[in-house]
Amino acid sequence: MSSVSERRLRPIYDSLDCGNSKKALQEADRLLKKQPNFACAKVLRALALLRLERHDESRKIVEAVVAELPTDENSLQALTICYKELHEPEKICELYEAVVKKEPTNEEFLSHLFMAYVRVLNYKKQQQTAMALYKAYPKNPYYFWAVMSVLMQASGMDADETSLMSRSVALQLAERLLLKMVSQNKLEVEAEVQLYLIVLEKQENYEGALNLLNGKLANLLRAPNLIKEKRAMYLQKLGRWKELTLFTQELIRQDPSQWSYYETHLEAMFAEIGCPAPLDNGDGACPASNENHTSSTNNEAVNSNHIDKSDEPPADGQVENSEQKAAEGLTAPAESGADGADAVGPAATARFLLQLRMAVDGRERAPLLAQLRLALALRQRRLPQPLPIDDLEEVVRFIRCYGDRPCCFSDVEPVLALVSGDQVSTLLELSHDTVELNDRGVPFSPAAMQRHLTWLQLCQHYSDSGRLGQTRLERAAELRRFHLATAHFSEGLLDTELRPNDHYLTLAVYCLYDEWRATRQTNHLLDALALLQCGMDNSPSNFYFKLAAIHIYHLLGAAGAAYTVYNTLDLKSIQLDTLSYVSSRHVAAQGQLAAAQLVFNTVLKFFNNVKDTTDCLIAAYKVGSFQQIPEFIELKRRLAHSANYLLTLTDCILLDLTSVASQHAQTLELLRYSSLCAAALSPVQWDQLRDNRDVAVLPAFSDTERRQRDAATALSWSQDLHLLRARQLTLRALVTVLRLAPPQNGDMEQVRQLAAQLAEAARPADPALLEDGTLQLSGPLPSRLPRLLRRPHLPLLSRLLETAAELVAGQTPTQAVNELLTLCERLAERPPAGAGPAELFEEAALLTETVGVAAAVWGALHSWTAPTRPTGKRGKKKKGAAPAVTESECLHNRVVNALVALAQSTSRLVEETGASLTEQSAAQQLGHLSLGATPQEGTLRDAADAVRRQLENSYRSSQRELAKVLQYKVEYLTACLL
């Protein structure tokens, strides 16, 4: 394109880049008056129209330009952007296919065609296009694009016998293509060798991969750790355990801080002696995978692959009695039959670790930690300890040496199973001896504070408030005192940095939450919220505080307050899939409908925008990062099968269709302009759905807590799947009814089927789905399913659909209407007296939605039957002109009146609930955390007042929004009377 044309297009580009689509449209119109046939200006005009939501006009312009088939780069790129924003990537392929036919040897067009096929994952066409590129322009990247495309064809095949044969053939083809380049000595860069390794791994040809690492091609691999990790992986896959044990032993000598080497070493050693797995799950049960239970100031991952180093040995790191005994064991003979340095077994590993530990002289914590892991693994496998080392003393030594590091507890927690029940008190006493406090009884330095936190986390692990002679409330108050006394260690930190003393408040909140679980007294949760509010004021970036506050606010039914905190999390990208559930599944269910719409829109915007994943794929091909391509494909698949996405999408559409309209015409208008229904109603691959929630962000301090959390997570996943089925059926039934205008008898058969499926969904085969999981601060909130199934919400909708179908068929469903009225009366019953605030608002919100669905269904029925009723002419009344009311119309009106009564009853429940909870929250007082007349006490009081205001505002807002929707539904239903 000439510089003149580019200069004329610049104002349009600038306006589009600034988001001013209206100005871009004006600039495009101005240019097209001068140059009516300027293809690029036409496409940019279409793009501006598209962003102004004028889709039909935009599409016509795009189709007209494509028919002319421009070949200038600017026009093609603009068309590509249009198709991307229209979510039609296949049209980009068609565009460049036509352009390549016109100019078959144009390198740039062929490259764009290849990337267009990458967008739609058409691996076969990718291969063909890449080979065409290589033949026309023999460059290595094009050749390896073809190889990678063949590899992806193999990876995308199913597991049936035919596909396995095709997969084998595809992998052999990829290997032959690579061998051709190797024989011609044309492999030039590291990425090409890595692709060769990937092909060999897919073939499970690990021997060949090892030979490659031992050959000349390994010289092209620049990352030194890559060769080590690959060699270890291949030895593991080949089952060459002795060789792997000795190899990782050498790696550990070279880098004693790399924790992954120790894990592989222990795994290989036990596999070599024929005892790869633990034998029991009793006292020596293998702990679950580690989490970060450490202070919020710690940016180091728990049990990270690279163990941190210290320039100074620990102050109390002298060798004690058990270590002296172990040192004597170094002179003991190796395992019988072993060959000196090549000996492999527990004794050889224990000697090696002890020698290494003495060599590093306390500068590394990994050798001592590996010794503890070895001792635990031996106990789990019921094997004797090879060296006379006391497990308790070794655990205490680790705490003494490294207790001033934030990662200490998370390191030592998995091996606490080495400490028997009668040794726990001794462990805590000896660990407490490492804590140094000043004359006021508080830590005097950051290191002393961290040792204190390590000891407190040990107490939390053993739930040891009784051993300390304190109640949970006393302990929470003391933890708050420690938090205040150590606040000066955080002076000068930025708002984006976590405070080193934040973990005192985290532990205090756990104590209060446990006290609430034991007593169910709400004031303990309010105390916890007051502490969390103080914490969030002082440490604005602490996500532990925010997630805990969201959890507790939802327990109190204060979804508005939870949403306020949720906004401060500022979730981005993949977090909207893994963490948005903390609020998205409860905010609408507790009456915050406007906030729910905002949450839903944010989450759905992320899922609907697949640009990030596709662009990453294209970039990976361009730079030759072939090993990342399968990872991006897996990420795309994970997002496509996210249960969180489908549940959020379903909730969003149901909210739109049931909460906004006050008359049936508005409901039909909402459905007509909904761009989400097609995606929500597409067939669901239930066996492919994934639970992408990250439920392990908040720490669990013991195996028991983790097991309870895992059980609660598994139960909530099963319940959410059933909930999703029920809500999908509700949405399908509602949309099906709304789209029938007017229905025929055959159409109503589908409605009857959906009614039967809803009735079946109301009777789950597994009684566990009706249970509430164990509540934990570190776990998920209970699913909404039990509340949906315990009352006849689904049976009411099912019977409503059946009744509508019978009325359309000209029947007189007296019995069905009587059953329907009975179900309405049951739903109008008040919740039990002991129901908490969350239960009350969730029941009110669920009733409101049920009334909304029922109103839309009956509104559709009214729109079908009302036109058939004679109305007479307006004007002067005539005697005897009023038509007689038929029995069917009478039944119709009885149903309307029953639904109106249910809506009015729900409205009274909402008003009473909101008023009662607002009054209760205003009367709540701060509990057991008072510090007396101190400035800090005033700060806590201010935080408690802020919490109370948040609760009151949330309850009032939920009451107001639900009452408004119910008023709309009463008007909606009243208009349906015949």
Side-chain angles (χ1 to χ4, degrees):
M1 179 178 292
S2 68
S3 59
V4 175
S5 298
E6 289 183 0
R7 188 173 66 252
R8 290 176 176 174
L9 289 171
R10 178 53 50 195
I12 308 176
Y13 283 123
D14 291 342
S15 299
L16 288 170
D17 290 341
C18 294
N20 193 341
S21 301
K22 187 174 181 180
K23 185 178 179 183
L25 180 61
Q26 293 171 352
E27 294 288 350
D29 288 337
R30 185 178 296 114
L31 180 55
L32 285 169
K33 285 181 180 179
K34 299 176 182 178
Q35 293 179 257
N37 297 323
F38 198 167
C40 187
K42 291 181 181 179
V43 180
L44 293 177
R45 183 176 188 274
L47 183 58
L49 289 168
L50 180 61
R51 293 178 179 178
L52 290 169
E53 303 296 329
R54 294 160 65 177
H55 291 200
D56 294 338
E57 296 176 61
S58 175
R59 195 180 296 276
K60 289 179 182 178
I61 296 173
V62 168
E63 291 173 355
V65 174
V66 169
E68 298 172 3
L69 199 59
T71 56
D72 63 284
E73 180 64 20
N74 285 9
S75 297
L76 293 174
Q77 287 298 316
L79 285 169
T80 299
I81 295 171
C82 283
Y83 283 134
K84 284 164 60 177
E85 296 194 10
L86 285 167
H87 303 292
E88 296 178 353
E90 64 282 351
K91 294 291 184 67
I92 304 175
C93 300
E94 296 174 6
L95 172 64
Y96 278 103
E97 284 171 356
V99 172
V100 167
K101 285 181 181 179
K102 196 171 183 179
E103 298 185 27
T105 59
N106 187 303
E107 182 179 9
E108 190 173 359
F109 292 162
L110 283 169
S111 298
H112 284 304
L113 178 59
F114 177 84
M115 296 308 172
Y117 289 136
V118 170
R119 291 183 186 278
V120 297
L121 305 183
N122 191 332
Y123 304 127
K124 185 67 176 176
K125 291 290 185 68
Q126 284 178 214
Q127 176 195 350
Q128 295 170 355
T129 307
M131 290 308 297
L133 263 170
Y134 183 73
K135 289 176 181 177
Y137 305 93
K139 300 176 183 178
N140 270 21
Y142 299 149
Y143 190 89
F144 286 94
W145 287 0
V147 176
M148 190 66 206
S149 300
V150 174
L151 180 61
M152 292 309 298
Q153 289 178 60
S155 301
M157 293 176 181
D158 297 328
D160 58 83
E161 186 175 349
T162 304
S163 295
L164 289 175
M165 293 177 61
S166 301
R167 182 175 187 272
S168 176
V169 171
L171 289 173
Q172 289 174 18
L173 173 60
E175 185 181 15
R176 285 200 302 272
L177 290 171
L178 287 165
L179 286 173
K180 179 181 178 182
M181 297 297 279
V182 172
S183 64
Q184 297 175 6
N185 199 25
K186 287 188 176 181
L187 267 65
E188 300 171 350
V189 295
E190 182 179 23
E192 297 166 358
V193 180
Q194 289 183 5
L195 180 56
Y196 195 178
L197 287 174
I198 294 172
V199 171
L200 293 173
E201 290 169 11
K202 292 290 184 181
Q203 289 180 306
E204 300 183 2
N205 184 4
Y206 303 114
E207 196 69 53
L210 269 178
N211 293 336
L212 189 153
L213 293 180
N214 295 327
K216 295 186 299 181
L217 291 177
N219 297 329
L220 293 173
L221 297 173
R222 303 300 182 189
N225 287 336
L226 176 65
I227 298 177
K228 297 174 185 177
E229 293 167 3
K230 290 288 186 182
R231 188 182 301 278
M233 182 183 75
Y234 299 149
L235 291 173
Q236 183 181 36
K237 295 290 186 180
L238 292 169
R240 289 156 60 170
W241 301 114
K242 182 175 182 180
E243 188 176 347
L244 177 58
T245 304
L246 299 174
F247 176 63
T248 51
Q249 189 169 302
E250 182 58 32
L251 293 179
I252 291 170
R253 287 195 182 95
Q254 295 173 13
D255 187 0
S257 65
Q258 187 67 25
W259 179 247
S260 61
Y261 296 160
Y262 294 88
E263 293 180 312
T264 306
H265 178 77
L266 293 176
E267 178 188 354
M269 181 272 292
F270 282 114
E272 172 63 17
I273 66 173
C275 190
L279 298 177
D280 70 312
N281 290 315
D283 292 338
C286 183
S289 60
N290 271 333
E291 305 163 23
N292 192 350
H293 308 308
T294 61
S295 170
S296 300
T297 62
N298 180 29
N299 290 327
E300 174 185 14
V302 177
N303 282 339
S304 58
N305 283 342
H306 204 277
I307 298 291
D308 69 332
K309 302 182 179 181
S310 173
D311 295 332
E312 298 180 3
D316 296 325
Q318 291 83 5
V319 177
E320 299 181 2
N321 292 334
S322 64
E323 190 170 11
Q324 293 172 353
K325 295 177 183 178
E328 295 171 2
L330 288 172
T331 59
E335 284 89 337
S336 59
D339 183 15
D342 289 339
V344 172
T349 296
R351 291 188 181 87
F352 163 68
L353 292 175
L354 186 55
Q355 288 173 341
L356 182 66
R357 177 176 147 197
M358 298 174 71
V360 300
D361 193 22
R363 292 187 302 275
E364 309 284 356
R365 75 184 194 271
L368 178 53
L369 184 59
Q371 276 191 302
L372 293 171
R373 290 291 184 95
L374 173 63
L376 178 63
L378 289 170
R379 176 180 293 187
Q380 291 169 343
R381 292 163 175 80
R382 302 176 189 173
L383 297 175
Q385 299 286 351
L387 296 179
I389 295 178
D390 183 86
D391 293 335
L392 175 61
E393 288 187 23
E394 292 302 294
V395 172
V396 173
R397 177 180 291 106
F398 189 91
I399 296 170
R400 180 180 298 114
C401 294
Y402 308 108
D404 58 350
R405 304 185 188 186
C407 56
C408 179
F409 175 74
S410 58
D411 283 345
V412 79
E413 193 264 341
V415 298
L416 290 178
L418 290 169
V419 180
S420 59
D422 56 352
Q423 293 177 315
V424 170
S425 296
T426 305
L427 169 65
L428 294 175
E429 291 171 6
L430 294 174
S431 301
H432 188 262
D433 291 342
T434 68
V435 178
E436 298 173 323
L437 305 176
N438 60 19
D439 54 358
R440 294 186 295 114
V442 296
F444 59 85
S445 68
M449 179 188 69
Q450 190 54 58
R451 286 189 179 278
H452 190 219
L453 282 170
T454 299
W455 177 70
L456 289 171
Q457 288 175 95
L458 284 170
C459 295
Q460 183 70 23
H461 173 81
Y462 289 112
S463 300
D464 196 62
S465 57
R467 286 189 174 90
L468 297 174
Q470 294 176 306
T471 65
R472 294 189 188 94
L473 298 179
E474 291 170 342
R475 190 175 174 199
E478 184 182 53
L479 286 165
R480 179 180 175 244
R481 182 173 68 85
F482 284 128
H483 178 262
L484 294 171
T486 55
H488 60 283
F489 297 142
S490 303
E491 292 177 357
L493 295 179
L494 299 174
D495 286 347
T496 53
E497 297 181 82
L498 303 184
R499 277 38 180 177
N501 64 332
D502 280 350
H503 213 53
Y504 282 120
L505 280 190
T506 302
L507 291 169
V509 169
Y510 270 73
C511 291
L512 292 168
Y513 191 88
D514 289 342
E515 185 68 16
W516 170 78
R517 288 204 304 167
T519 64
R520 296 292 167 167
Q521 294 181 10
T522 306
N523 63 300
H524 301 313
L525 292 182
L526 297 177
D527 287 346
L529 285 172
L531 287 184
L532 290 168
Q533 187 63 49
C534 286
M536 289 186 286
D537 291 341
N538 295 323
S539 184
S541 296
N542 191 307
F543 58 90
Y544 290 136
F545 293 163
K546 295 176 183 180
L547 290 172
I550 291 169
H551 180 102
I552 295 174
Y553 273 129
H554 278 306
L555 280 179
L556 293 173
Y563 172 72
T564 301
V565 181
Y566 172 84
N567 266 346
T568 66
L569 280 174
D570 195 23
L571 300 182
K572 302 291 187 185
S573 190
I574 194 67
Q575 292 175 327
L576 290 167
D577 184 28
T578 59
L579 285 177
S580 65
Y581 76 92
V582 298
S583 197
S584 67
R585 301 193 181 186
H586 308 282
V587 65
Q590 293 178 353
Q592 289 289 323
L593 307 184
Q597 196 65 66
L598 295 174
V599 174
F600 294 159
N601 289 341
T602 304
V603 174
L604 295 176
K605 183 178 179 181
F606 161 69
F607 279 103
N608 292 332
N609 184 10
V610 296
K611 173 179 179 291
D612 293 342
T613 307
T614 304
D615 287 350
C616 288
L617 270 176
I618 291 173
Y621 276 102
K622 287 182 177 179
V623 301
S625 297
F626 299 117
Q627 72 277 7
Q628 292 184 338
I629 291 172
E631 297 173 7
F632 290 135
I633 297 295
E634 174 58 25
L635 173 61
K636 190 171 183 177
R637 187 177 295 117
R638 169 184 169 179
L639 295 177
H641 295 129
S642 170
N644 185 39
Y645 163 66
L646 192 55
L647 185 55
T648 302
L649 179 63
T650 307
D651 286 345
C652 181
I653 300 174
L654 280 173
L655 180 62
D656 282 342
L657 295 178
T658 61
S659 66
V660 178
S662 60
Q663 50 186 303
H664 191 64
Q666 293 176 348
T667 303
L668 296 177
E669 194 75 7
L670 287 168
L671 180 62
R672 184 178 301 111
Y673 287 102
S674 174
S675 59
L676 301 175
C677 271
L681 298 177
S682 59
V684 179
Q685 296 176 296
W686 294 100
D687 57 335
Q688 298 292 322
L689 289 180
R690 300 190 183 191
D691 185 8
N692 293 337
R693 295 175 299 168
D694 188 352
V695 296
V697 180
L698 286 170
F701 288 92
S702 67
D703 291 339
T704 302
E705 285 184 43
R706 270 191 294 276
R707 285 193 293 270
Q708 290 176 348
R709 182 180 64 195
D710 292 344
T713 302
L715 175 62
S716 70
W717 168 239
S718 301
Q719 290 175 329
D720 284 348
L721 274 181
H722 193 89
L723 175 69
L724 178 56
R725 290 178 187 271
R727 294 186 69 73
Q728 274 273 303
L729 285 171
T730 302
L731 178 60
R732 289 176 187 276
L734 178 58
V735 172
T736 299
V737 168
L738 292 176
R739 285 179 174 170
L740 297 177
Q744 304 298 322
N745 288 335
D747 296 331
M748 297 309 292
E749 184 58 35
Q750 184 181 1
V751 175
R752 291 189 181 91
Q753 291 176 0
L754 289 167
Q757 292 173 15
L758 276 170
E760 184 180 357
R763 302 185 297 271
D766 185 0
L769 295 178
L770 294 171
E771 299 175 2
D772 289 323
T774 304
L775 267 175
Q776 280 189 308
L777 186 57
S778 61
L781 287 165
S783 171
R784 294 174 284 162
L785 180 70
R787 190 158 290 108
L788 175 67
L789 298 183
R790 285 171 186 160
R791 303 191 73 188
H793 294 277
L794 295 181
L796 173 68
L797 297 179
S798 173
R799 178 57 66 190
L800 196 73
L801 293 170
E802 292 174 354
T803 305
E806 292 179 15
L807 286 171
V808 169
Q811 301 175 12
T812 307
T814 304
Q815 182 178 353
V817 168
N818 289 335
E819 292 176 4
L820 196 57
L821 301 185
T822 302
L823 291 172
C824 287
E825 292 172 1
R826 288 175 57 191
L827 281 176
E829 295 173 0
R830 285 290 186 268
E839 289 86 350
L840 291 172
F841 265 124
E842 287 178 11
E843 182 59 37
L846 191 54
L847 282 167
T848 302
E849 182 183 89
T850 300
V851 170
V853 175
V857 170
W858 220 247
L861 178 64
H862 178 264
S863 69
W864 305 331
T865 57
T868 65
R869 179 180 170 82
T871 58
K873 294 182 180 180
R874 291 187 181 183
K876 188 176 179 180
K877 294 183 181 180
K878 297 181 180 180
K879 294 182 180 181
V885 177
T886 66
E887 187 174 356
S888 295
E889 291 171 343
C890 182
L891 293 175
H892 175 103
N893 290 340
R894 286 180 64 195
V895 172
V896 171
N897 291 329
L899 292 175
V900 169
L902 178 59
Q904 293 170 340
S905 171
T906 305
S907 184
R908 289 192 294 273
L909 172 64
V910 168
E911 183 178 356
E912 293 168 6
T913 299
S916 172
L917 293 179
T918 302
E919 183 180 349
Q920 290 177 21
S921 63
Q924 288 287 353
Q925 298 296 323
L926 197 64
H928 299 72
L929 299 180
S930 175
L931 293 179
T934 64
Q936 293 84 0
E937 177 64 16
T939 302
L940 186 61
R941 290 289 177 187
D942 292 343
D945 289 340
V947 168
R948 279 193 285 270
R949 286 194 299 272
Q950 289 269 30
L951 290 171
E952 292 173 21
N953 292 338
S954 177
Y955 294 148
R956 289 195 186 101
S957 176
S958 294
Q959 174 189 350
R960 186 167 54 250
E961 292 192 43
L962 291 175
K964 185 177 180 181
V965 172
L966 288 165
Q967 181 183 352
Y968 286 162
K969 299 311 159 187
V970 170
E971 296 174 7
Y972 197 133
L973 288 164
T974 303
C976 295
L977 288 169
L978 295 175

